[in-house]
Amino acid sequence: MKFACCRRSWASFWLAPLTSRRLVLLFATSLAAATPPIVIQNATILTVTKGTLNGSVLIRDGKIAEVGEKIMVPADAKVIDASGQFVMPGIIDCHSHIAADSINEGSVSVSSMVGIEDVLNPDDISIYRAVAGGVTTANILHGSANSIGGKCTVIKLRWGKDAHDMIFQGALPGIKFALGENPKRAGNPTGQRIGAGNVQGRYPATRMGVEDVIREAFNEAKVYQQSWKDYNEKIAQGEQPAAPRRDLKLEPLVEVLEGKRLVHAHCYRADEILMLLRVADDYGFKIRTLQHVLEGYKVAKEIAAHGAGASTFSDWWAYKLEAFDAIPYNAAIMTRKGVLVSLNSDSDELMRHLNDEAAKTMKYGGLNETEALSLVTINPAKQLMIDNRVGSIEVGKDADLTIFDKHPLSNYAKVEKVFIDGQLYFDRASDLADRPERETEKKKLMDKEKEEQKKNAPVGRGRPAA
Amino acid sequence: MKSLLVGFLLILPLAAADDDSFLIRGATVHPVASAEIQNGSVLVQNGKIVGIGRNIAAPKGTRIVEGKGLHVYPGMIDSATEMGLSEIGAVRESVDVGEIGKFDPQLRAEIAINPSSEHIPVTRANGITSVIAMPMSAGGGGGFGRGGGGSIITGQAALVHLDGWTWEEMEIKKSAGMGMRFPIIPPPPGRFFGADFPGAKTFTESKKDYETELRELKEFFENARRYQKAKAAKEKGFQTDLKYEAMLPVLEGKEPLIVMASRERAIRDAVQFADQQKVRVIIADPRELGKMGTELKSRNIPAILGPTLALPLHEDDPYDAAYTLPDQFYKAGVKFAFGSFDNQFARDLPYQAAMAVAFGLPVDEAVKAVTLNAAQIWGVADRIGSIEEGKSADLMVTDGDPLEAKTQVKLLYIKGKTVDLDNRHKRLYEKYLNRP
């Protein structure tokens, strides 16, 4: 279940994007032309880091220019009346697989040579759906089939833009690690005694092997790092040595050693969590975030001491053996014990209501409203080291804002508007207004397809009649 | 030590005698079947609700539960789960959800419910007092959405209380309905798993499978009817057949078919089938309503709605298609209840209902869909589903709106007995919160 598979429908995937993108493009062009400031007025503003106030937010040039109970409305400003509504920072999902055309390079146990950035798909409808759930930034991860997986990319959900323009410029790149059942299942896909089935096993097939794979890789990476250090030293001394051969697998690991690439490690059990922290200690690098980390509450002290963040689920459990000790109090215990905690989705669906997920931590473990909201805003921003840009409503930060009709920690709340860089990327009223036109367009295309099918009949493969 | 023992001896007999008799007073009572009562009371005697209102006089010595600032609701009912049938989804040995075979009406979910499943206390801690445990079409053990099982008739779903030492003690209705998957032509595997994907079938092949399954289904029903006639006529040489025997309540209209049908076409097929066979059906896990609203309403066919927190069925559906579906059913006048179709998220049942409220469903209807509607659909509205005199005292006492995640369930009663709200999760929480 948590093998980072895509679950997508087969239907004509580009239909909805077409029309809803039109809305964004319209706004984008009108904003780009004159970029008038925007004032969101009369709202309850949940800044997350600076308390809650009733007032306004001024957006200028894609940034938050002013926040206050009373602010001067510039003459050229577009005013949005948000009476009775709630503005919060755009939600940040520290673990997602949307917008990726492939997830797992599972054939090798170290796949650090591949990266999500190369397969970003800006047409994935899940992007729009996530924006409609208030999400503005997401960490797009490689899958969990490998002890050391592929490279990860942080994106802003700028629906309608191309792949390149979705990338969160300035965010450090990441890399996925994975421990426990998933990487070892790839080693033993039959679940039988190794060699019993006719499926080729792949090292590792145990948690012991997972540790070894990571150590072996960093052993290699250290040697590789040294070869470049030696080379650069010789260059500095005026020598002309032959450059080492570039190694695309080891390069990202050297970046990890040098703190230029963040490690996001999929893990479940306390033992494997501790193992990874110790391996990282030995090789002198940091685990930036432990992902899922469902037994993190058992070793919260050690996690906090290492300085790793923890990005977990609200209440998932029992879907596999290593999730049987998962508890919904995980986020609360880790928070209380000094770990920087976020809640993530790892799901195109769950991603659309992370605010509800955050509310569960008030029930399970008694976090307060600000702590709960932090789990899906400022905390994941800190984990991704982009908190200077996003994660709270503060002057100077990117104008990534989500407007809810009710308090976002209420299960009755729904998203009304979403801004990214001060541009409107989701507006429920427009979405609703566009639907009749979208239906007409769909029908036209379906009719056309039927015509084509008639013309080209008989065909061996095709779609069922509607 | 001695004084402790004496203390116990003094308290124990009293507590035991009073265990399923008490008066909750000063609470906001939400009977569901009628308007809420501020500063209200609920009187329970011998496990039954015997009084509800503003001023209820309790017999002398009745245990008093002070409900000031609290809310009393009927316990919630989850109308589709794998409760007790599945412990850890990915561990085959712990899953007893889907049997091998196409027609398995003789299978009884009830007898495979593990009363010590960790899921039971976890689920009821959030106010869910009874569930439907349902055999599913999966084949070889798997559950919802796992494996492409071939079962068409999957077996008898049981309605049980989430309390009891044995499944017999848990039982509310041993067979609340007959599980069934309506044959469909599966959609093409999609752009990620192209036509070359192992097991991918051409449309012609899929259509042929569908037609075969439909024919087999009809034949099975015809055979069951012949059996019914033969039995009634006491034909010579008549022999009991466990499969057909299990079909009799369905053929007699005493027991509904719970038909898994997600797409409009499958729903239409299922309704047509019910008309032809003159059997009762409940539509389970519909993902769209389409033009079927009137059809369902006019035939009084109810639905068990699957998770509201779900992606739209089609990629080009409105983003909120799943969120608005319950309201579509409501507006069409179709009776419905919610089911989690799962175990691990069964405790989130109220939040499924809440999302429907965010997207249009009146809140009272959402509460009904996890209480009274469910009881009505399963034919037990005389026993559970609301706070009414004569009903089983299945009650949850909360500090707020139960559809809101931040609300805590403070007390829970099943058949008037105080249910322990402790569970695996709370135990691990306390253990590790206090780790030095």
Side-chain angles (χ1 to χ4, degrees):
Chain A
M1 184 168 191
K2 300 308 301 164
F3 208 59
C5 298
C6 275
R7 284 149 290 167
R8 294 182 212 228
S9 69
W10 58 277
S12 42
F13 60 91
W14 44 275
L15 259 175
L18 261 186
T19 36
S20 9
R21 278 162 83 176
R22 188 174 307 148
L23 158 85
V24 173
L25 292 174
L26 276 177
F27 265 95
T29 39
S30 64
L31 280 168
T35 53
I38 298 168
V39 177
I40 303 168
Q41 272 186 340
N42 306 320
T44 302
I45 300 163
L46 308 158
T47 69
V48 178
T49 48
K50 309 257 175 197
T52 297
L53 66 147
N54 295 306
S56 308
V57 182
L58 171 66
I59 301 170
R60 198 191 284 281
D61 301 326
K63 299 278 181 190
I64 298 166
E66 213 179 330
V67 184
E69 286 176 3
K70 286 209 164 61
I71 65 170
M72 289 283 287
V73 179
D76 59 340
K78 180 177 161 32
V79 175
I80 293 168
D81 181 31
S83 298
Q85 300 187 330
F86 293 76
V87 186
M88 71 173 280
I91 291 170
I92 300 170
D93 187 350
C94 201
H95 191 131
S96 170
H97 300 287
I98 64 165
D101 253 347
S102 51
I103 313 288
N104 266 308
E105 175 47 66
S107 61
V108 285
S109 50
V110 179
S111 64
S112 44
M113 71 295 281
V114 305
I116 289 294
E117 193 176 321
D118 299 326
V119 291
L120 275 181
N121 169 21
D123 284 334
D124 182 1
I125 187 64
S126 290
I127 302 169
Y128 181 70
R129 290 172 178 167
V131 179
V135 181
T136 53
T137 293
N139 188 25
I140 311 301
L141 298 166
H142 183 269
S144 51
N146 338 67
S147 312
I148 294 182
K151 294 174 276 187
C152 319
T153 302
V154 181
I155 64 168
K156 281 211 188 186
L157 276 53
R158 301 184 184 106
W159 176 247
K161 298 285 170 67
D162 64 20
H164 178 78
D165 284 339
M166 289 228 175
I167 294 169
F168 193 125
Q169 297 297 340
L172 279 180
I175 187 165
K176 176 78 169 280
F177 285 16
L179 316 177
E181 290 180 20
N182 287 9
K184 79 184 190 124
R185 186 164 66 228
N188 182 9
T190 60
Q192 308 286 314
R193 189 170 50 80
I194 300 283
N198 51 10
V199 181
Q200 181 84 41
R202 189 206 75 187
Y203 188 84
T206 66
R207 285 184 168 82
M208 300 180 287
V210 170
E211 189 209 23
D212 177 52
V213 166
I214 298 171
R215 282 188 185 270
E216 302 278 0
F218 277 96
N219 248 358
E220 270 188 76
K222 286 257 181 191
V223 173
Y224 181 65
Q225 185 186 32
Q226 192 58 47
S227 69
W228 277 99
K229 270 186 193 157
D230 293 347
Y231 168 76
N232 286 326
E233 242 166 59
K234 283 180 182 161
I235 294 279
Q237 286 163 6
E239 293 177 38
Q240 288 181 319
R245 190 173 188 274
R246 243 185 111 189
D247 188 318
L248 300 183
K249 183 180 85 174
L250 297 177
E251 221 165 59
L253 301 186
V254 172
E255 289 169 353
V256 168
L257 289 170
E258 293 172 352
K260 295 171 188 160
R261 183 174 289 278
L262 308 179
V263 176
H264 304 293
H266 159 121
C267 54
Y268 280 79
R269 257 169 41 183
D271 47 283
E272 66 197 22
I273 294 166
L274 196 56
M275 173 277 285
L276 184 66
L277 298 180
R278 296 303 171 246
V279 169
D281 290 344
D282 285 353
Y283 284 89
F285 67 92
K286 289 286 176 195
I287 303 300
R288 188 64 202 171
T289 70
L290 294 158
Q291 296 283 332
H292 311 323
V293 60
L294 295 186
E295 288 189 14
Y297 66 93
K298 295 184 179 177
V299 283
K301 195 165 72 173
E302 287 79 2
I303 295 172
H306 178 89
S311 189
T312 187
F313 295 127
S314 60
D315 62 353
W316 293 40
W317 75 294
Y319 46 95
K320 53 177 169 174
L321 187 59
E322 62 188 359
F324 202 51
D325 267 7
I327 59 173
Y329 304 90
N330 192 31
I333 295 187
M334 289 194 291
T335 300
R336 293 286 173 255
K337 302 219 171 189
V339 179
L340 180 66
V341 182
S342 68
L343 288 179
N344 68 51
S345 77
D346 191 16
S347 146
D348 298 15
E349 190 282 311
L350 194 69
M351 193 176 188
R352 314 194 300 154
H353 46 89
L354 280 167
N355 55 307
D356 290 344
E357 301 305 301
K360 289 176 187 168
T361 63
M362 297 168 73
K363 181 208 283 288
Y364 300 114
L367 294 193
N368 65 37
E369 284 192 1
T370 304
E371 286 172 326
L373 284 176
S374 298
L375 296 174
V376 295
T377 55
I378 191 68
N379 290 5
K382 285 178 182 166
Q383 291 177 340
L384 297 169
M385 299 178 81
I386 48 176
D387 54 306
N388 60 329
R389 292 270 305 277
V390 293
S392 63
I393 302 182
E394 291 180 68
V395 172
K397 284 199 178 184
D398 296 4
D400 293 4
L401 302 166
T402 296
I403 306 182
F404 280 89
D405 64 340
K406 296 190 175 64
H407 195 293
L409 294 172
S410 163
N411 291 69
Y412 299 134
K414 65 174 175 293
V415 174
E416 292 291 343
K417 286 183 172 61
V418 177
F419 293 89
I420 301 173
D421 306 319
Q423 292 190 21
L424 189 62
Y425 277 87
F426 172 75
D427 181 25
R428 180 161 165 79
S430 309
D431 184 287
L432 290 172
D434 278 355
R435 287 182 192 183
E437 193 196 331
R438 230 178 293 172
E439 273 303 308
T440 317
E441 195 178 348
K442 179 179 170 180
K443 198 178 172 305
K444 244 194 231 166
L445 287 165
M446 300 276 275
D447 289 347
K448 201 174 166 190
E449 193 180 11
K450 270 183 204 160
E451 283 298 310
E452 294 284 318
Q453 271 178 353
K454 260 187 219 162
K455 262 191 243 164
N456 298 332
V459 284
R461 295 171 196 271
R463 293 182 180 186
Chain B
M1 188 67 206
K2 201 179 171 189
S3 61
L4 251 180
L5 203 67
V6 172
F8 265 114
L9 288 174
L10 280 175
I11 294 161
L12 213 59
L14 273 175
D18 268 355
D19 194 28
D20 56 1
S21 300
F22 55 91
L23 175 79
I24 305 174
R25 68 177 182 198
T28 307
V29 181
H30 304 260
V32 177
S34 53
E36 70 171 52
I37 306 160
Q38 299 284 340
N39 197 14
S41 302
V42 181
L43 180 62
V44 173
Q45 278 183 337
N46 305 318
K48 291 255 160 57
I49 298 161
V50 295
I52 162 173
R54 269 279 167 87
N55 299 301
I56 298 289
K60 212 176 165 195
T62 301
R63 181 160 53 101
I64 304 292
V65 179
E66 291 296 348
K68 196 163 184 289
L70 300 175
H71 298 258
V72 188
Y73 285 87
M76 289 186 279
I77 304 166
D78 189 332
S79 288
T81 69
E82 306 172 342
M83 201 61 61
L85 303 177
S86 166
E87 198 66 11
I88 301 175
V91 179
R92 162 72 187 89
E93 289 80 354
S94 75
V95 180
D96 295 284
V97 177
E99 192 43 91
I100 293 165
K102 268 198 175 163
F103 297 96
D104 285 332
Q106 75 283 10
L107 300 179
R108 301 165 58 203
E110 185 183 58
I111 55 87
I113 293 173
N114 171 13
S116 354
S117 167
E118 299 283 1
H119 288 270
I120 292 172
V122 164
T123 302
R124 72 184 178 205
N126 212 20
I128 294 156
T129 49
S130 42
V131 302
I132 287 283
M134 194 163 143
M136 292 298 304
S137 176
F144 297 113
R146 290 196 282 278
S151 294
I152 295 174
I153 300 215
T154 57
Q156 301 161 36
L159 177 62
V160 293
H161 272 129
L162 290 185
D163 187 39
W165 293 93
T166 65
W167 53 259
E168 277 180 329
E169 288 183 15
M170 294 168 74
E171 175 185 304
I172 300 172
K173 206 172 185 183
K174 63 177 78 207
S175 183
M178 183 66 75
M180 179 175 155
R181 162 186 70 84
F182 208 86
I184 56 161
I185 303 175
R191 63 190 168 115
F192 281 92
F193 306 111
D196 300 332
F197 188 68
K201 286 183 174 170
T202 63
F203 176 68
T204 323
E205 284 164 348
S206 295
K207 189 157 183 274
K208 211 172 145 194
D209 289 353
Y210 163 75
E211 281 157 1
T212 306
E213 284 197 334
L214 271 189
R215 197 183 59 242
E216 287 171 342
L217 178 63
K218 270 184 195 143
E219 279 170 12
F220 185 78
F221 269 76
E222 280 162 16
N223 288 342
R225 283 201 197 283
R226 279 191 209 106
Y227 177 87
Q228 184 186 30
K229 271 183 202 153
K231 189 183 182 188
K234 293 183 179 138
E235 267 179 26
K236 215 177 151 193
F238 172 83
Q239 280 183 355
T240 301
D241 180 295
L242 295 182
K243 284 184 194 278
Y244 297 138
E245 192 67 33
M247 285 299 290
L248 295 179
V250 174
L251 299 178
E252 290 158 6
K254 289 179 190 157
E255 196 177 292
L257 284 170
I258 310 164
V259 185
M260 298 286 289
S262 58
R263 288 160 188 271
E264 185 184 355
R265 174 170 175 163
I267 299 169
R268 194 187 308 132
D269 281 1
V271 168
Q272 231 169 44
F273 181 79
D275 283 353
Q276 285 162 1
Q277 296 291 338
K278 299 186 178 56
V279 292
R280 280 168 57 211
V281 295
I282 296 168
I283 301 294
D285 202 19
R287 307 309 312 176
E288 59 189 5
L289 181 59
K291 292 174 183 140
M292 291 306 296
T294 331
E295 305 286 321
L296 294 177
K297 183 180 191 267
S298 65
R299 289 171 175 77
N300 278 321
I301 296 176
I304 305 305
L305 300 187
T308 306
L309 299 170
L311 290 171
L313 186 60
H314 307 286
E315 206 149 6
D316 50 355
D317 280 342
Y319 80 94
D320 59 3
Y323 302 156
T324 59
L325 191 67
D327 191 43
Q328 289 174 41
F329 272 77
Y330 171 64
K331 292 214 169 90
V334 180
K335 178 155 289 193
F336 64 91
F338 287 110
S340 61
F341 290 81
D342 191 271
N343 274 0
Q344 68 156 316
F345 296 123
R347 63 176 159 195
D348 289 346
L349 182 76
Y351 318 136
Q352 305 282 0
M355 191 57 116
V357 175
F359 286 80
L361 183 69
V363 66
D364 290 349
E365 294 301 323
V367 172
K368 272 191 213 164
V370 291
T371 54
L372 189 55
N373 284 4
Q376 288 168 346
I377 290 170
W378 299 117
V380 290
D382 56 330
R383 293 157 68 187
I384 59 173
S386 61
I387 305 180
E388 290 180 84
E389 282 178 25
K391 284 198 180 184
S392 171
D394 295 359
L395 304 169
M396 68 167 157
V397 181
T398 66
D399 62 0
D401 182 344
L403 303 192
E404 290 273 23
K406 56 181 176 261
T407 299
Q408 305 278 2
V409 173
K410 296 292 200 184
L411 294 162
L412 193 70
Y413 302 93
I414 292 178
K415 293 197 277 187
K417 276 196 297 187
T418 309
V419 175
D420 189 357
L421 291 174
D422 193 22
N423 59 36
R424 178 184 186 84
H425 296 176
K426 282 183 190 165
R427 285 192 297 277
L428 285 166
Y429 171 53
E430 276 150 24
K431 179 175 172 184
Y432 284 95
L433 187 66
N434 297 316
R435 182 194 154 192

